[in-house]
Amino acid sequence: AQRVTQPEKLLSVFKGAPVELKCNYSYSGSPELFWYVQYSRQRLQLLLRHISRESIKGFTADLNKGETSFHLKKPFAQEEDSAMYYCALKTSYDKVIFGPGTSLSVIP
Amino acid sequence: DSGVTQTPKHLITATGQRVTLRCSPRSGDLSVYWYQQSLDQGLQFLIQYYNGEERAKGNILERFSAQQFPDLHSELNLSSLELGDSALYFCASSVGDRTHEQFFGPGTRLTVL
Protein backbone atom coordinates (compact mmCIF):
# COMPACT_ATOMS: atom_id res chain seq x y z
CA ALA A 1 0.00 0.00 0.00
CA GLN A 2 1.13 3.53 -0.71
CA ARG A 3 1.35 5.53 2.44
CA VAL A 4 3.14 8.43 4.11
CA THR A 5 3.46 8.59 7.86
CA GLN A 6 4.58 11.41 10.08
CA PRO A 7 4.70 10.01 13.60
CA GLU A 8 4.64 13.34 15.42
CA LYS A 9 1.46 15.43 15.34
CA LEU A 10 3.10 18.14 17.43
CA LEU A 11 6.74 18.96 17.90
CA SER A 12 8.08 21.69 20.15
CA VAL A 13 11.70 22.79 20.19
CA PHE A 14 13.54 25.75 21.64
CA LYS A 15 14.93 28.44 19.39
CA GLY A 16 18.45 27.53 18.34
CA ALA A 17 17.96 23.84 18.95
CA PRO A 18 18.18 21.26 16.16
CA VAL A 19 14.91 20.06 14.71
CA GLU A 20 14.03 16.87 12.87
CA LEU A 21 10.61 16.20 11.42
CA LYS A 22 10.17 12.55 10.63
CA CYS A 23 8.63 11.13 7.49
CA ASN A 24 8.39 7.51 6.43
CA TYR A 25 6.81 6.20 3.29
CA SER A 26 5.57 2.95 1.87
CA TYR A 27 5.81 2.58 -1.89
CA SER A 28 7.13 -0.23 -4.02
CA GLY A 29 8.10 1.92 -6.99
CA SER A 30 10.54 4.76 -7.39
CA PRO A 31 9.28 7.57 -5.17
CA GLU A 32 9.48 11.30 -5.48
CA LEU A 33 9.36 12.92 -2.07
CA PHE A 34 8.56 16.45 -1.09
CA TRP A 35 8.13 18.61 1.97
CA TYR A 36 5.39 21.23 1.97
CA VAL A 37 4.91 23.89 4.64
CA GLN A 38 1.94 25.96 5.71
CA TYR A 39 2.66 29.03 7.81
CA SER A 40 -0.11 30.62 9.83
CA ARG A 41 -2.74 32.19 7.55
CA GLN A 42 -0.73 31.36 4.44
CA ARG A 43 -1.16 28.86 1.68
CA LEU A 44 0.46 25.48 1.53
CA GLN A 45 3.74 25.83 -0.33
CA LEU A 46 6.57 23.64 -1.47
CA LEU A 47 9.58 23.68 0.85
CA LEU A 48 11.87 21.23 -0.87
CA ARG A 49 11.99 18.12 -3.01
CA HIS A 50 14.43 15.26 -2.81
CA ILE A 51 15.50 15.34 -6.45
CA SER A 52 16.92 18.83 -6.22
CA ARG A 53 18.94 18.10 -3.06
CA GLU A 54 18.73 21.75 -2.12
CA SER A 55 18.64 23.53 1.21
CA ILE A 56 15.75 25.92 1.69
CA LYS A 57 15.56 28.23 4.70
CA GLY A 58 18.26 26.08 6.29
CA PHE A 59 16.20 22.89 5.95
CA THR A 60 17.53 19.76 4.29
CA ALA A 61 16.07 16.33 3.72
CA ASP A 62 17.75 13.19 2.51
CA LEU A 63 15.93 10.33 0.93
CA ASN A 64 16.93 7.06 2.56
CA LYS A 65 15.53 4.28 0.43
CA GLY A 66 16.78 1.58 2.76
CA GLU A 67 14.84 3.01 5.68
CA THR A 68 12.10 4.45 3.42
CA SER A 69 12.48 7.77 5.15
CA PHE A 70 12.69 11.41 4.16
CA HIS A 71 13.26 13.27 7.40
CA LEU A 72 13.41 17.06 7.41
CA LYS A 73 16.23 18.61 9.41
CA LYS A 74 17.47 22.00 10.45
CA PRO A 75 20.47 22.53 12.73
CA PHE A 76 19.17 25.66 14.47
CA ALA A 77 15.44 26.29 14.69
CA GLN A 78 14.09 29.82 14.32
CA GLU A 79 10.79 31.20 15.57
CA GLU A 80 9.65 31.80 12.00
CA ASP A 81 9.93 28.06 11.37
CA SER A 82 6.78 27.50 13.41
CA ALA A 83 4.31 26.04 10.94
CA MET A 84 2.56 22.90 9.76
CA TYR A 85 4.83 20.59 7.75
CA TYR A 86 3.60 17.94 5.35
CA CYS A 87 5.62 15.21 3.76
CA ALA A 88 4.32 14.10 0.35
CA LEU A 89 4.95 11.23 -2.02
CA LYS A 90 4.35 11.31 -5.76
CA THR A 91 3.94 7.91 -7.34
CA SER A 92 4.90 6.94 -10.85
CA TYR A 93 1.20 7.21 -11.72
CA ASP A 94 1.22 10.81 -10.56
CA LYS A 95 -0.92 10.20 -7.51
CA VAL A 96 0.14 12.48 -4.69
CA ILE A 97 -0.07 11.18 -1.15
CA PHE A 98 0.35 13.55 1.76
CA GLY A 99 1.24 12.61 5.29
CA PRO A 100 -0.94 13.77 8.19
CA GLY A 101 1.37 16.65 8.96
CA THR A 102 3.46 17.76 11.92
CA SER A 103 2.87 21.04 13.68
CA LEU A 104 6.21 22.55 14.63
CA SER A 105 6.33 25.08 17.41
CA VAL A 106 9.60 26.90 18.08
CA ILE A 107 9.73 28.28 21.59
CA PRO A 108 11.58 31.59 21.97
CA ASP B 1 -3.27 38.30 -8.16
CA SER B 2 -1.70 35.82 -10.56
CA GLY B 3 -1.79 32.99 -8.05
CA VAL B 4 -4.30 30.18 -7.75
CA THR B 5 -7.75 31.45 -6.90
CA GLN B 6 -10.70 29.53 -5.53
CA THR B 7 -14.33 30.49 -5.13
CA PRO B 8 -16.26 30.58 -2.97
CA LYS B 9 -14.25 30.92 0.23
CA HIS B 10 -16.98 29.43 2.34
CA LEU B 11 -20.01 27.34 1.48
CA ILE B 12 -22.72 26.14 3.81
CA THR B 13 -25.30 23.72 2.50
CA ALA B 14 -27.55 20.87 3.54
CA THR B 15 -27.26 17.13 3.16
CA GLY B 16 -28.40 15.82 -0.19
CA GLN B 17 -27.54 19.01 -2.00
CA ARG B 18 -25.07 19.58 -4.82
CA VAL B 19 -22.35 22.25 -4.96
CA THR B 20 -19.72 23.39 -7.41
CA LEU B 21 -16.30 24.64 -6.37
CA ARG B 22 -14.27 26.67 -8.79
CA CYS B 23 -10.53 27.01 -9.27
CA SER B 24 -8.48 29.22 -11.54
CA PRO B 25 -4.86 28.12 -11.91
CA ARG B 26 -1.83 30.37 -12.03
CA SER B 27 -1.27 32.02 -15.35
CA GLY B 28 0.57 29.57 -17.60
CA ASP B 29 -0.11 26.48 -15.50
CA LEU B 30 -1.76 23.63 -17.37
CA SER B 31 -2.31 21.20 -14.50
CA VAL B 32 -4.93 21.47 -11.81
CA TYR B 33 -5.12 19.25 -8.74
CA TRP B 34 -7.94 18.91 -6.22
CA TYR B 35 -7.48 17.92 -2.59
CA GLN B 36 -9.79 17.40 0.35
CA GLN B 37 -8.58 18.20 3.84
CA SER B 38 -10.58 16.99 6.79
CA LEU B 39 -9.63 16.66 10.45
CA ASP B 40 -9.65 12.88 10.47
CA GLN B 41 -8.36 12.15 6.96
CA GLY B 42 -5.72 14.82 6.50
CA LEU B 43 -4.93 16.06 3.00
CA GLN B 44 -6.33 13.65 0.43
CA PHE B 45 -5.56 13.85 -3.27
CA LEU B 46 -8.74 13.68 -5.31
CA ILE B 47 -7.93 14.21 -8.96
CA GLN B 48 -5.60 15.91 -11.43
CA TYR B 49 -6.34 17.45 -14.80
CA TYR B 50 -3.81 18.45 -17.39
CA ASN B 51 -4.77 20.69 -20.27
CA GLY B 52 -8.38 19.62 -20.10
CA GLU B 53 -7.87 15.90 -19.64
CA GLU B 54 -7.94 13.75 -16.54
CA ARG B 55 -4.38 12.82 -15.64
CA ALA B 56 -4.47 11.04 -12.30
CA LYS B 57 -7.12 9.92 -9.90
CA GLY B 58 -6.94 9.58 -6.16
CA ASN B 59 -9.53 8.87 -3.51
CA ILE B 60 -12.39 10.61 -5.25
CA LEU B 61 -15.89 9.41 -4.49
CA GLU B 62 -18.29 8.59 -7.30
CA ARG B 63 -20.55 11.38 -6.03
CA PHE B 64 -17.75 13.82 -6.87
CA SER B 65 -16.69 14.82 -10.33
CA ALA B 66 -14.40 17.41 -11.83
CA GLN B 67 -13.54 18.93 -15.14
CA GLN B 68 -11.10 21.38 -16.62
CA PHE B 69 -12.34 23.81 -19.20
CA PRO B 70 -10.60 25.19 -22.32
CA ASP B 71 -9.61 28.33 -20.41
CA LEU B 72 -7.96 25.93 -17.90
CA HIS B 73 -10.12 26.77 -14.93
CA SER B 74 -11.51 23.76 -13.14
CA GLU B 75 -14.66 22.89 -11.27
CA LEU B 76 -15.21 20.25 -8.64
CA ASN B 77 -18.81 19.08 -8.38
CA LEU B 78 -19.96 17.46 -5.17
CA SER B 79 -23.41 15.87 -5.15
CA SER B 80 -25.67 14.05 -2.70
CA LEU B 81 -23.71 15.74 0.02
CA GLU B 82 -23.24 14.04 3.36
CA LEU B 83 -22.16 15.41 6.71
CA GLY B 84 -18.79 13.75 6.23
CA ASP B 85 -18.10 15.81 3.13
CA SER B 86 -17.56 18.85 5.32
CA ALA B 87 -13.93 19.76 4.74
CA LEU B 88 -11.50 22.24 3.25
CA TYR B 89 -11.12 21.70 -0.48
CA PHE B 90 -7.87 22.86 -2.01
CA CYS B 91 -6.95 23.38 -5.59
CA ALA B 92 -3.35 23.49 -6.76
CA SER B 93 -1.76 24.09 -10.12
CA SER B 94 1.54 23.35 -11.79
CA VAL B 95 3.14 24.11 -15.10
CA GLY B 96 3.25 20.61 -16.52
CA ASP B 97 1.57 17.29 -15.97
CA ARG B 98 4.58 15.81 -14.19
CA THR B 99 6.00 18.96 -12.74
CA HIS B 100 6.89 18.60 -9.11
CA GLU B 101 6.03 21.94 -7.62
CA GLN B 102 2.38 22.62 -7.02
CA PHE B 103 1.03 26.03 -6.10
CA PHE B 104 -1.92 25.93 -3.78
CA GLY B 105 -5.00 28.07 -3.59
CA PRO B 106 -6.51 29.36 -0.36
CA GLY B 107 -9.14 26.64 -0.24
CA THR B 108 -12.93 26.50 -0.04
CA ARG B 109 -14.41 25.57 3.31
CA LEU B 110 -17.50 23.43 2.82
CA THR B 111 -19.88 22.86 5.68
CA VAL B 112 -22.69 20.37 5.24
CA LEU B 113 -25.46 20.67 7.82
Side-chain angles (χ1 to χ4, degrees):
Chain A
Q2 301 152 0
R3 196 175 171 187
V4 176
T5 56
Q6 294 178 249
E8 303 129 335
K9 268 192 174 179
L10 298 166
L11 183 63
S12 294
V13 300
F14 284 101
K15 179 182 171 182
V19 60
E20 181 179 49
L21 298 162
K22 291 186 168 56
C23 170
N24 287 89
Y25 67 91
S26 172
Y27 180 55
S28 56
S30 186
E32 293 181 45
L33 276 299
F34 310 84
W35 276 99
Y36 278 83
V37 60
Q38 188 169 28
Y39 300 103
S40 178
R41 293 192 208 91
Q42 292 189 29
R43 304 180 182 195
L44 197 62
Q45 57 187 284
L46 180 68
L47 181 62
L48 53 79
R49 62 197 106 175
H50 89 268
I51 56 167
S52 55
R53 300 186 64 81
E54 55 200 343
S55 172
I56 304 293
K57 300 185 180 184
F59 284 98
T60 58
D62 288 317
L63 177 61
N64 186 323
K65 290 188 177 180
E67 294 182 0
T68 59
S69 68
F70 188 55
H71 303 328
L72 183 68
K73 299 177 186 179
K74 185 170 182 177
F76 308 104
Q78 303 298 315
E79 287 178 66
E80 56 265 29
D81 297 329
S82 294
M84 193 74 182
Y85 291 81
Y86 294 93
C87 182
L89 160 73
K90 192 165 194 240
T91 73
S92 50
Y93 296 100
D94 291 333
K95 273 181 65 174
V96 182
I97 302 162
F98 277 80
T102 297
S103 177
L104 174 65
S105 177
V106 180
I107 305 162
Chain B
D1 181 6
S2 58
V4 179
T5 59
Q6 290 185 248
T7 56
K9 275 190 179 177
H10 303 278
L11 196 50
I12 301 174
T13 188
T15 54
Q17 295 297 305
R18 173 190 162 98
V19 297
T20 297
L21 312 183
R22 185 189 166 103
C23 167
S24 291
R26 288 188 326 155
S27 177
D29 285 358
L30 299 178
S31 266
V32 168
Y33 308 76
W34 284 99
Y35 294 88
Q36 178 193 57
Q37 186 179 42
S38 57
L39 282 173
D40 56 343
Q41 295 281 330
L43 199 60
Q44 299 280 316
F45 168 65
L46 295 177
I47 197 163
Q48 177 201 355
Y49 277 83
Y50 172 72
N51 205 18
E53 294 193 4
E54 184 182 302
R55 185 72 176 84
K57 215 166 186 175
N59 301 324
I60 188 165
L61 299 172
E62 284 195 18
R63 299 184 286 109
F64 296 0
S65 65
Q67 53 184 325
Q68 187 179 27
F69 294 87
D71 68 351
L72 301 176
H73 90 271
S74 178
E75 292 181 356
L76 179 66
N77 300 296
L78 316 175
S79 60
S80 303
L81 285 168
E82 302 174 358
L83 295 177
D85 297 328
S86 295
L88 200 52
Y89 290 84
F90 286 106
C91 168
S93 73
S94 65
V95 171
D97 59 335
R98 315 208 74 179
T99 307
H100 307 297
E101 181 166 9
Q102 296 178 33
F103 295 86
F104 281 78
T108 291
R109 182 166 294 283
L110 173 67
T111 303
V112 182
L113 300 175

Short mmCIF file of all heavy atoms in Angstrom, two decimals, chain A residues 66-90:
data_model
loop_
_atom_site.label_atom_id
_atom_site.label_comp_id
_atom_site.label_asym_id
_atom_site.label_seq_id
_atom_site.Cartn_x
_atom_site.Cartn_y
_atom_site.Cartn_z
N GLY A 66 16.68 2.77 1.92
CA GLY A 66 16.78 1.58 2.76
C GLY A 66 15.83 1.63 3.94
O GLY A 66 15.18 0.66 4.29
N GLU A 67 15.74 2.84 4.53
CA GLU A 67 14.84 3.01 5.68
C GLU A 67 13.50 3.59 5.26
O GLU A 67 12.66 3.87 6.11
CB GLU A 67 15.50 3.93 6.71
CG GLU A 67 16.74 3.35 7.34
CD GLU A 67 17.33 4.26 8.41
OE1 GLU A 67 16.79 5.34 8.66
OE2 GLU A 67 18.38 3.86 8.98
N THR A 68 13.31 3.81 3.98
CA THR A 68 12.10 4.45 3.42
C THR A 68 11.74 5.68 4.25
O THR A 68 10.62 5.82 4.75
CB THR A 68 10.92 3.47 3.33
OG1 THR A 68 10.59 2.95 4.63
CG2 THR A 68 11.23 2.33 2.39
N SER A 69 12.71 6.56 4.38
CA SER A 69 12.48 7.77 5.15
C SER A 69 12.92 9.01 4.38
O SER A 69 13.75 8.92 3.46
CB SER A 69 13.23 7.70 6.49
OG SER A 69 14.63 7.76 6.27
N PHE A 70 12.36 10.12 4.78
CA PHE A 70 12.69 11.41 4.16
C PHE A 70 12.52 12.46 5.25
O PHE A 70 11.67 13.34 5.19
CB PHE A 70 11.76 11.67 2.97
CG PHE A 70 12.13 12.88 2.14
CD1 PHE A 70 13.39 13.01 1.59
CD2 PHE A 70 11.19 13.87 1.89
CE1 PHE A 70 13.72 14.11 0.82
CE2 PHE A 70 11.51 14.98 1.11
CZ PHE A 70 12.78 15.10 0.59
N HIS A 71 13.38 12.38 6.24
CA HIS A 71 13.26 13.27 7.40
C HIS A 71 13.75 14.67 7.06
O HIS A 71 14.75 14.85 6.38
CB HIS A 71 14.06 12.72 8.58
CG HIS A 71 13.66 11.33 9.00
ND1 HIS A 71 12.37 10.87 8.90
CD2 HIS A 71 14.39 10.31 9.52
CE1 HIS A 71 12.30 9.63 9.34
NE2 HIS A 71 13.52 9.26 9.72
N LEU A 72 13.07 15.65 7.62
CA LEU A 72 13.41 17.06 7.41
C LEU A 72 14.22 17.56 8.61
O LEU A 72 13.80 17.37 9.75
CB LEU A 72 12.13 17.88 7.26
CG LEU A 72 12.28 19.37 6.95
CD1 LEU A 72 12.86 19.57 5.55
CD2 LEU A 72 10.92 20.07 7.06
N LYS A 73 15.34 18.20 8.31
CA LYS A 73 16.23 18.61 9.41
C LYS A 73 16.66 20.06 9.26
O LYS A 73 16.78 20.57 8.14
CB LYS A 73 17.49 17.73 9.42
CG LYS A 73 17.22 16.26 9.64
CD LYS A 73 18.50 15.45 9.56
CE LYS A 73 18.21 13.98 9.62
NZ LYS A 73 19.41 13.14 9.52
N LYS A 74 16.90 20.66 10.42
CA LYS A 74 17.47 22.00 10.45
C LYS A 74 18.33 22.08 11.70
O LYS A 74 17.89 21.70 12.78
CB LYS A 74 16.38 23.06 10.47
CG LYS A 74 16.93 24.48 10.38
CD LYS A 74 15.83 25.50 10.14
CE LYS A 74 16.43 26.90 10.02
NZ LYS A 74 15.41 27.93 9.71
N PRO A 75 19.57 22.55 11.56
CA PRO A 75 20.47 22.53 12.73
C PRO A 75 20.07 23.51 13.84
O PRO A 75 20.28 23.21 15.01
CB PRO A 75 21.83 22.87 12.13
CG PRO A 75 21.55 23.51 10.81
CD PRO A 75 20.24 22.97 10.34
N PHE A 76 19.51 24.66 13.47
CA PHE A 76 19.17 25.66 14.47
C PHE A 76 17.79 26.23 14.16
O PHE A 76 17.63 27.00 13.22
CB PHE A 76 20.21 26.80 14.46
CG PHE A 76 21.63 26.33 14.57
CD1 PHE A 76 22.45 26.30 13.46
CD2 PHE A 76 22.14 25.90 15.79
CE1 PHE A 76 23.76 25.86 13.55
CE2 PHE A 76 23.45 25.45 15.90
CZ PHE A 76 24.26 25.42 14.77
N ALA A 77 16.81 25.85 14.95
CA ALA A 77 15.44 26.29 14.69
C ALA A 77 15.26 27.78 14.97
O ALA A 77 15.85 28.32 15.92
CB ALA A 77 14.48 25.48 15.56
N GLN A 78 14.45 28.42 14.16
CA GLN A 78 14.09 29.82 14.32
C GLN A 78 12.59 29.94 14.59
O GLN A 78 11.81 29.06 14.20
CB GLN A 78 14.44 30.61 13.05
CG GLN A 78 15.90 30.52 12.63
CD GLN A 78 16.82 31.09 13.69
OE1 GLN A 78 16.58 32.17 14.23
NE2 GLN A 78 17.89 30.36 14.00
N GLU A 79 12.20 31.04 15.25
CA GLU A 79 10.79 31.20 15.57
C GLU A 79 9.92 31.19 14.31
O GLU A 79 8.80 30.67 14.33
CB GLU A 79 10.58 32.51 16.33
CG GLU A 79 11.09 32.47 17.75
CD GLU A 79 10.90 33.80 18.45
OE1 GLU A 79 9.74 34.19 18.67
OE2 GLU A 79 11.91 34.44 18.79
N GLU A 80 10.44 31.75 13.23
CA GLU A 80 9.65 31.80 12.00
C GLU A 80 9.48 30.44 11.34
O GLU A 80 8.76 30.32 10.34
CB GLU A 80 10.27 32.79 11.01
CG GLU A 80 11.72 32.51 10.66
CD GLU A 80 12.69 33.32 11.52
OE1 GLU A 80 12.33 33.64 12.69
OE2 GLU A 80 13.79 33.61 11.03
N ASP A 81 10.12 29.41 11.88
CA ASP A 81 9.93 28.06 11.37
C ASP A 81 8.64 27.42 11.89
O ASP A 81 8.25 26.36 11.41
CB ASP A 81 11.12 27.16 11.74
CG ASP A 81 12.41 27.63 11.11
OD1 ASP A 81 12.38 28.21 10.00
OD2 ASP A 81 13.47 27.43 11.74
N SER A 82 8.03 28.04 12.86
CA SER A 82 6.78 27.50 13.41
C SER A 82 5.74 27.44 12.31
O SER A 82 5.41 28.45 11.68
CB SER A 82 6.27 28.38 14.56
OG SER A 82 7.15 28.35 15.64
N ALA A 83 5.24 26.25 12.06
CA ALA A 83 4.31 26.04 10.94
C ALA A 83 3.86 24.58 10.95
O ALA A 83 4.32 23.77 11.75
CB ALA A 83 4.99 26.36 9.61
N MET A 84 2.99 24.27 9.98
CA MET A 84 2.56 22.90 9.76
C MET A 84 3.39 22.35 8.60
O MET A 84 3.48 23.00 7.55
CB MET A 84 1.08 22.90 9.41
CG MET A 84 0.42 21.56 9.46
SD MET A 84 0.18 21.03 11.16
CE MET A 84 -0.53 19.42 10.87
N TYR A 85 3.97 21.19 8.78
CA TYR A 85 4.83 20.59 7.75
C TYR A 85 4.22 19.28 7.26
O TYR A 85 3.85 18.41 8.05
CB TYR A 85 6.23 20.34 8.32
CG TYR A 85 7.00 21.61 8.59
CD1 TYR A 85 6.77 22.35 9.75
CD2 TYR A 85 7.94 22.10 7.68
CE1 TYR A 85 7.45 23.53 10.00
CE2 TYR A 85 8.64 23.27 7.92
CZ TYR A 85 8.38 23.99 9.08
OH TYR A 85 9.06 25.16 9.32
N TYR A 86 4.15 19.15 5.96
CA TYR A 86 3.60 17.94 5.35
C TYR A 86 4.65 17.28 4.46
O TYR A 86 5.26 17.93 3.62
CB TYR A 86 2.39 18.26 4.48
CG TYR A 86 1.19 18.79 5.21
CD1 TYR A 86 1.00 20.16 5.37
CD2 TYR A 86 0.24 17.92 5.75
CE1 TYR A 86 -0.09 20.65 6.04
CE2 TYR A 86 -0.87 18.42 6.42
CZ TYR A 86 -1.03 19.77 6.56
OH TYR A 86 -2.12 20.27 7.23
N CYS A 87 4.79 16.00 4.64
CA CYS A 87 5.62 15.21 3.76
C CYS A 87 4.70 14.63 2.67
O CYS A 87 3.55 14.26 2.97
CB CYS A 87 6.28 14.09 4.57
SG CYS A 87 7.39 13.03 3.65
N ALA A 88 5.16 14.58 1.44
CA ALA A 88 4.32 14.10 0.35
C ALA A 88 5.10 13.18 -0.57
O ALA A 88 6.30 13.36 -0.78
CB ALA A 88 3.75 15.27 -0.44
N LEU A 89 4.38 12.22 -1.11
CA LEU A 89 4.95 11.23 -2.02
C LEU A 89 4.22 11.30 -3.34
O LEU A 89 2.98 11.32 -3.36
CB LEU A 89 4.79 9.83 -1.40
CG LEU A 89 4.88 8.61 -2.31
CD1 LEU A 89 6.31 8.38 -2.73
CD2 LEU A 89 4.35 7.37 -1.60
N LYS A 90 4.96 11.36 -4.43
CA LYS A 90 4.35 11.31 -5.76
C LYS A 90 4.71 9.98 -6.37
O LYS A 90 5.90 9.63 -6.47
CB LYS A 90 4.86 12.47 -6.61
CG LYS A 90 4.08 12.70 -7.89
CD LYS A 90 4.42 14.05 -8.47
CE LYS A 90 3.43 14.45 -9.53
NZ LYS A 90 4.03 14.67 -10.84
#
